mmCIF file of all heavy atoms in Angstrom:
data_model
loop_
_atom_site.group_PDB
_atom_site.id
_atom_site.type_symbol
_atom_site.label_atom_id
_atom_site.label_comp_id
_atom_site.label_asym_id
_atom_site.label_seq_id
_atom_site.Cartn_x
_atom_site.Cartn_y
_atom_site.Cartn_z
ATOM 1 N N LEU A 18 -80.504 -21.007 -10.244
ATOM 2 C CA LEU A 18 -79.867 -22.324 -10.317
ATOM 3 C C LEU A 18 -80.371 -23.183 -11.467
ATOM 4 O O LEU A 18 -79.579 -23.845 -12.138
ATOM 5 C CB LEU A 18 -80.074 -23.078 -9.000
ATOM 6 C CG LEU A 18 -79.386 -22.483 -7.768
ATOM 7 C CD1 LEU A 18 -79.730 -23.297 -6.533
ATOM 8 C CD2 LEU A 18 -77.884 -22.405 -7.970
ATOM 9 N N ARG A 20 -83.117 -22.130 -13.771
ATOM 10 C CA ARG A 20 -83.876 -21.382 -14.789
ATOM 11 C C ARG A 20 -85.342 -21.791 -14.801
ATOM 12 O O ARG A 20 -85.996 -21.793 -15.840
ATOM 13 C CB ARG A 20 -83.282 -21.557 -16.177
ATOM 14 C CG ARG A 20 -81.911 -21.017 -16.339
ATOM 15 C CD ARG A 20 -81.907 -19.531 -16.165
ATOM 16 N NE ARG A 20 -80.598 -19.027 -16.584
ATOM 17 C CZ ARG A 20 -80.147 -17.857 -16.271
ATOM 18 N NH1 ARG A 20 -80.862 -17.048 -15.558
ATOM 19 N NH2 ARG A 20 -78.963 -17.469 -16.670
ATOM 20 N N VAL A 22 -89.020 -21.508 -12.169
ATOM 21 C CA VAL A 22 -89.720 -21.152 -10.937
ATOM 22 C C VAL A 22 -90.804 -22.207 -10.779
ATOM 23 O O VAL A 22 -91.723 -22.263 -11.591
ATOM 24 C CB VAL A 22 -90.317 -19.726 -11.013
ATOM 25 C CG1 VAL A 22 -91.033 -19.380 -9.726
ATOM 26 C CG2 VAL A 22 -89.235 -18.697 -11.322
ATOM 27 N N ASN A 24 -93.904 -24.382 -10.373
ATOM 28 C CA ASN A 24 -95.342 -24.106 -10.333
ATOM 29 C C ASN A 24 -95.958 -24.527 -9.004
ATOM 30 O O ASN A 24 -96.859 -23.859 -8.501
ATOM 31 C CB ASN A 24 -96.060 -24.815 -11.481
ATOM 32 C CG ASN A 24 -95.802 -24.150 -12.802
ATOM 33 O OD1 ASN A 24 -95.526 -22.957 -12.868
ATOM 34 N ND2 ASN A 24 -95.879 -24.917 -13.866
ATOM 35 N N VAL A 25 -95.476 -25.617 -8.438
ATOM 36 C CA VAL A 25 -96.028 -26.095 -7.165
ATOM 37 C C VAL A 25 -95.802 -25.049 -6.081
ATOM 38 O O VAL A 25 -96.699 -24.767 -5.281
ATOM 39 C CB VAL A 25 -95.379 -27.455 -6.784
ATOM 40 C CG1 VAL A 25 -95.779 -27.883 -5.390
ATOM 41 C CG2 VAL A 25 -95.736 -28.513 -7.808
ATOM 42 N N GLU A 44 -107.635 -5.803 5.888
ATOM 43 C CA GLU A 44 -106.468 -5.907 5.024
ATOM 44 C C GLU A 44 -105.292 -5.217 5.675
ATOM 45 O O GLU A 44 -105.396 -4.075 6.117
ATOM 46 C CB GLU A 44 -106.758 -5.266 3.664
ATOM 47 C CG GLU A 44 -105.605 -5.410 2.707
ATOM 48 C CD GLU A 44 -105.951 -4.880 1.337
ATOM 49 O OE1 GLU A 44 -106.943 -5.323 0.763
ATOM 50 O OE2 GLU A 44 -105.220 -4.013 0.859
ATOM 51 N N PRO A 46 -101.692 -3.749 4.887
ATOM 52 C CA PRO A 46 -100.899 -3.417 3.708
ATOM 53 C C PRO A 46 -99.509 -4.047 3.762
ATOM 54 O O PRO A 46 -98.914 -4.142 4.829
ATOM 55 C CB PRO A 46 -100.827 -1.887 3.756
ATOM 56 C CG PRO A 46 -101.083 -1.526 5.174
ATOM 57 C CD PRO A 46 -101.962 -2.599 5.727
ATOM 58 N N ARG A 63 -110.043 -0.480 10.484
ATOM 59 C CA ARG A 63 -110.729 -0.032 9.274
ATOM 60 C C ARG A 63 -110.784 -1.185 8.289
ATOM 61 O O ARG A 63 -109.818 -1.903 8.110
ATOM 62 C CB ARG A 63 -110.035 1.166 8.638
ATOM 63 C CG ARG A 63 -108.647 0.874 8.137
ATOM 64 C CD ARG A 63 -108.030 2.108 7.485
ATOM 65 N NE ARG A 63 -106.651 1.861 7.168
ATOM 66 C CZ ARG A 63 -106.212 1.253 6.075
ATOM 67 N NH1 ARG A 63 -107.057 0.810 5.180
ATOM 68 N NH2 ARG A 63 -104.937 1.091 5.868
ATOM 69 N N SER A 64 -111.911 -1.341 7.675
ATOM 70 C CA SER A 64 -112.068 -2.387 6.677
ATOM 71 C C SER A 64 -111.876 -1.768 5.311
ATOM 72 O O SER A 64 -112.561 -0.810 4.954
ATOM 73 C CB SER A 64 -113.464 -3.009 6.791
ATOM 74 O OG SER A 64 -113.589 -4.045 5.863
ATOM 75 N N PRO A 67 -115.591 -4.381 1.697
ATOM 76 C CA PRO A 67 -116.783 -4.734 2.475
ATOM 77 C C PRO A 67 -116.681 -6.038 3.260
ATOM 78 O O PRO A 67 -117.324 -6.182 4.270
ATOM 79 C CB PRO A 67 -117.885 -4.819 1.421
ATOM 80 C CG PRO A 67 -117.404 -4.002 0.293
ATOM 81 C CD PRO A 67 -115.920 -4.097 0.309
ATOM 82 N N ALA A 73 -111.137 -11.535 -1.282
ATOM 83 C CA ALA A 73 -110.666 -12.672 -2.079
ATOM 84 C C ALA A 73 -110.841 -12.385 -3.571
ATOM 85 O O ALA A 73 -109.968 -12.695 -4.384
ATOM 86 C CB ALA A 73 -111.405 -13.942 -1.688
ATOM 87 N N LEU A 77 -107.849 -12.136 -6.415
ATOM 88 C CA LEU A 77 -107.861 -12.844 -7.698
ATOM 89 C C LEU A 77 -107.775 -11.887 -8.876
ATOM 90 O O LEU A 77 -107.077 -12.157 -9.859
ATOM 91 C CB LEU A 77 -109.120 -13.700 -7.810
ATOM 92 C CG LEU A 77 -109.184 -14.924 -6.905
ATOM 93 C CD1 LEU A 77 -110.568 -15.554 -6.954
ATOM 94 C CD2 LEU A 77 -108.123 -15.929 -7.292
ATOM 95 N N LEU A 86 -101.545 -8.482 -18.284
ATOM 96 C CA LEU A 86 -100.680 -7.401 -18.775
ATOM 97 C C LEU A 86 -99.312 -7.923 -19.220
ATOM 98 O O LEU A 86 -98.714 -7.383 -20.147
ATOM 99 C CB LEU A 86 -100.513 -6.318 -17.720
ATOM 100 C CG LEU A 86 -101.743 -5.458 -17.467
ATOM 101 C CD1 LEU A 86 -101.506 -4.516 -16.291
ATOM 102 C CD2 LEU A 86 -102.114 -4.665 -18.715
ATOM 103 N N MET A 95 -89.969 -12.792 -24.432
ATOM 104 C CA MET A 95 -89.115 -11.825 -23.743
ATOM 105 C C MET A 95 -88.982 -12.117 -22.251
ATOM 106 O O MET A 95 -88.144 -11.526 -21.586
ATOM 107 C CB MET A 95 -89.653 -10.416 -23.945
ATOM 108 C CG MET A 95 -89.596 -9.978 -25.374
ATOM 109 S SD MET A 95 -90.289 -8.348 -25.545
ATOM 110 C CE MET A 95 -89.838 -7.983 -27.218
ATOM 111 N N GLY A 97 -90.019 -15.411 -19.081
ATOM 112 C CA GLY A 97 -90.478 -16.768 -18.871
ATOM 113 C C GLY A 97 -91.874 -16.812 -18.261
ATOM 114 O O GLY A 97 -92.335 -15.841 -17.651
ATOM 115 N N ASP A 100 -91.896 -16.205 -14.516
ATOM 116 C CA ASP A 100 -91.801 -14.792 -14.139
ATOM 117 C C ASP A 100 -93.166 -14.115 -14.202
ATOM 118 O O ASP A 100 -93.508 -13.304 -13.347
ATOM 119 C CB ASP A 100 -90.812 -14.054 -15.056
ATOM 120 C CG ASP A 100 -89.402 -14.603 -14.939
ATOM 121 O OD1 ASP A 100 -89.019 -15.017 -13.827
ATOM 122 O OD2 ASP A 100 -88.693 -14.623 -15.959
ATOM 123 N N GLY A 112 -100.881 -5.750 -3.769
ATOM 124 C CA GLY A 112 -101.783 -4.719 -4.266
ATOM 125 C C GLY A 112 -101.158 -4.148 -5.540
ATOM 126 O O GLY A 112 -99.938 -4.170 -5.708
ATOM 127 N N ARG A 118 -94.783 -0.198 -8.597
ATOM 128 C CA ARG A 118 -93.520 0.416 -8.142
ATOM 129 C C ARG A 118 -92.419 -0.630 -8.050
ATOM 130 O O ARG A 118 -91.290 -0.400 -8.485
ATOM 131 C CB ARG A 118 -93.729 1.121 -6.810
ATOM 132 C CG ARG A 118 -94.540 2.385 -6.921
ATOM 133 C CD ARG A 118 -94.501 3.211 -5.647
ATOM 134 N NE ARG A 118 -95.038 2.507 -4.498
ATOM 135 C CZ ARG A 118 -96.302 2.503 -4.119
ATOM 136 N NH1 ARG A 118 -97.189 3.173 -4.830
ATOM 137 N NH2 ARG A 118 -96.689 1.841 -3.046
ATOM 138 N N ILE A 156 -91.942 -5.019 -38.040
ATOM 139 C CA ILE A 156 -92.553 -3.900 -38.761
ATOM 140 C C ILE A 156 -92.832 -4.293 -40.210
ATOM 141 O O ILE A 156 -93.922 -4.027 -40.738
ATOM 142 C CB ILE A 156 -91.657 -2.645 -38.700
ATOM 143 C CG1 ILE A 156 -91.486 -2.173 -37.251
ATOM 144 C CG2 ILE A 156 -92.189 -1.533 -39.581
ATOM 145 C CD1 ILE A 156 -92.746 -1.700 -36.589
ATOM 146 N N SER A 157 -91.871 -4.930 -40.869
ATOM 147 C CA SER A 157 -92.061 -5.288 -42.280
ATOM 148 C C SER A 157 -93.146 -6.358 -42.458
ATOM 149 O O SER A 157 -93.883 -6.335 -43.431
ATOM 150 C CB SER A 157 -90.751 -5.766 -42.901
ATOM 151 O OG SER A 157 -90.356 -7.001 -42.356
ATOM 152 N N TRP A 161 -96.255 -9.217 -34.775
ATOM 153 C CA TRP A 161 -95.229 -9.494 -33.784
ATOM 154 C C TRP A 161 -94.856 -10.967 -33.841
ATOM 155 O O TRP A 161 -95.707 -11.835 -33.875
ATOM 156 C CB TRP A 161 -95.726 -9.152 -32.381
ATOM 157 C CG TRP A 161 -95.937 -7.694 -32.202
ATOM 158 C CD1 TRP A 161 -97.137 -7.046 -32.204
ATOM 159 C CD2 TRP A 161 -94.940 -6.700 -32.031
ATOM 160 N NE1 TRP A 161 -96.944 -5.706 -32.033
ATOM 161 C CE2 TRP A 161 -95.593 -5.453 -31.920
ATOM 162 C CE3 TRP A 161 -93.558 -6.718 -31.958
ATOM 163 C CZ2 TRP A 161 -94.914 -4.268 -31.739
ATOM 164 C CZ3 TRP A 161 -92.881 -5.529 -31.769
ATOM 165 C CH2 TRP A 161 -93.556 -4.328 -31.664
ATOM 166 N N SER A 163 -92.018 -13.998 -32.156
ATOM 167 C CA SER A 163 -91.276 -14.271 -30.933
ATOM 168 C C SER A 163 -89.877 -13.667 -31.017
ATOM 169 O O SER A 163 -89.193 -13.795 -32.032
ATOM 170 C CB SER A 163 -91.185 -15.780 -30.704
ATOM 171 O OG SER A 163 -90.398 -16.051 -29.579
ATOM 172 N N ARG A 166 -87.090 -16.232 -31.524
ATOM 173 C CA ARG A 166 -87.237 -17.104 -32.691
ATOM 174 C C ARG A 166 -85.987 -17.018 -33.563
ATOM 175 O O ARG A 166 -85.535 -15.933 -33.924
ATOM 176 C CB ARG A 166 -88.457 -16.667 -33.491
ATOM 177 C CG ARG A 166 -88.774 -17.551 -34.639
ATOM 178 C CD ARG A 166 -90.007 -17.014 -35.314
ATOM 179 N NE ARG A 166 -90.450 -17.893 -36.345
ATOM 180 C CZ ARG A 166 -91.446 -17.630 -37.148
ATOM 181 N NH1 ARG A 166 -92.111 -16.506 -37.022
ATOM 182 N NH2 ARG A 166 -91.804 -18.479 -38.067
ATOM 183 N N ARG A 168 -83.087 -17.729 -32.643
ATOM 184 C CA ARG A 168 -81.907 -17.497 -31.805
ATOM 185 C C ARG A 168 -82.142 -18.176 -30.463
ATOM 186 O O ARG A 168 -83.038 -17.810 -29.730
ATOM 187 C CB ARG A 168 -81.704 -16.004 -31.601
ATOM 188 C CG ARG A 168 -80.697 -15.635 -30.593
ATOM 189 C CD ARG A 168 -79.318 -15.724 -31.173
ATOM 190 N NE ARG A 168 -78.392 -15.252 -30.139
ATOM 191 C CZ ARG A 168 -77.147 -15.592 -30.105
ATOM 192 N NH1 ARG A 168 -76.649 -16.357 -31.027
ATOM 193 N NH2 ARG A 168 -76.369 -15.159 -29.164
ATOM 194 N N GLY A 171 -78.802 -18.636 -24.675
ATOM 195 C CA GLY A 171 -78.267 -19.554 -23.678
ATOM 196 C C GLY A 171 -78.226 -18.938 -22.291
ATOM 197 O O GLY A 171 -78.509 -17.755 -22.093
ATOM 198 N N LEU A 187 -87.144 -5.618 -2.692
ATOM 199 C CA LEU A 187 -86.338 -5.087 -1.584
ATOM 200 C C LEU A 187 -86.157 -3.576 -1.698
ATOM 201 O O LEU A 187 -86.244 -2.851 -0.699
ATOM 202 C CB LEU A 187 -84.984 -5.795 -1.523
ATOM 203 C CG LEU A 187 -85.044 -7.269 -1.137
ATOM 204 C CD1 LEU A 187 -83.667 -7.914 -1.252
ATOM 205 C CD2 LEU A 187 -85.604 -7.449 0.256
ATOM 206 N N LEU A 188 -85.919 -3.087 -2.914
ATOM 207 C CA LEU A 188 -85.810 -1.638 -3.098
ATOM 208 C C LEU A 188 -87.113 -0.931 -2.796
ATOM 209 O O LEU A 188 -87.138 0.128 -2.167
ATOM 210 C CB LEU A 188 -85.344 -1.318 -4.527
ATOM 211 C CG LEU A 188 -83.859 -1.510 -4.776
ATOM 212 C CD1 LEU A 188 -83.551 -1.353 -6.254
ATOM 213 C CD2 LEU A 188 -83.047 -0.526 -3.956
ATOM 214 N N LEU A 190 -89.328 -1.910 -0.764
ATOM 215 C CA LEU A 190 -89.554 -1.989 0.686
ATOM 216 C C LEU A 190 -88.710 -0.966 1.439
ATOM 217 O O LEU A 190 -89.186 -0.356 2.398
ATOM 218 C CB LEU A 190 -89.211 -3.411 1.162
ATOM 219 C CG LEU A 190 -89.546 -3.768 2.597
ATOM 220 C CD1 LEU A 190 -91.059 -3.650 2.826
ATOM 221 C CD2 LEU A 190 -89.068 -5.168 2.907
#
Side-chain angles (χ1 to χ4, degrees):
L18 294 177
R20 296 296 191 197
V22 180
N24 286 334
V25 172
E44 183 175 305
R63 64 179 173 84
S64 182
L77 290 171
L86 289 174
M95 295 178 170
D100 298 326
R118 288 192 299 271
I156 298 295
S157 68
W161 293 103
S163 176
R166 185 179 186 185
R168 170 81 176 156
L187 293 174
L188 282 172
L190 188 61

